Amino acid sequence: MGMNVVEKIDDLVKVKTVLVSVSDKSGLETFIPGLVEINPDILILSTGGTYGKIKEILGDKAETCLKQVSDYTGQPETQGGLVK
């Protein structure tokens, strides 16, 4: 049986940017390094506590692949961080 459409697309589309903002930060220690290993050129956008946790996880690598959403958009978060 051949590949389905999603499998075909996944082989062709390289994700360049991801937005990561979570209330439960458990699992980020595994997810974030795995994401960067799969795609070392990825840009991770994040906010608040999630940004801080990812920065801690990535260490020096954060300088090249992590950015605050507000720095990326040029707009501050609003409604207590609910609107990114």
Side-chain angles (χ1 to χ4, degrees):
M1 185 175 219
M3 289 196 308
N4 68 36
V5 172
V6 173
E7 289 170 333
K8 289 178 184 178
I9 291 172
D10 285 347
D11 288 342
L12 299 176
V13 176
K14 183 173 182 179
V15 175
K16 296 178 184 178
T17 307
V18 295
L19 171 64
V20 181
S21 183
V22 296
S23 57
D24 181 357
K25 317 247 180 316
S26 62
L28 286 178
E29 297 87 0
T30 304
F31 177 71
I32 295 298
L35 186 62
V36 173
E37 183 178 330
I38 290 168
N39 184 355
D41 298 325
I42 198 153
L43 173 60
I44 302 169
L45 301 175
S46 195
T47 59
T50 305
Y51 173 86
K53 183 65 176 177
I54 294 172
K55 187 173 182 178
E56 176 186 313
I57 292 167
L58 291 175
D60 293 338
K61 178 70 177 161
E63 294 178 23
T64 60
C65 66
L66 178 63
K67 187 177 257 191
Q68 291 261 14
V69 170
S70 56
D71 292 340
Y72 181 77
T73 63
Q75 300 294 317
E77 293 179 35
T78 61
Q79 297 181 1
L82 293 175
V83 177
K84 311 296 188 210

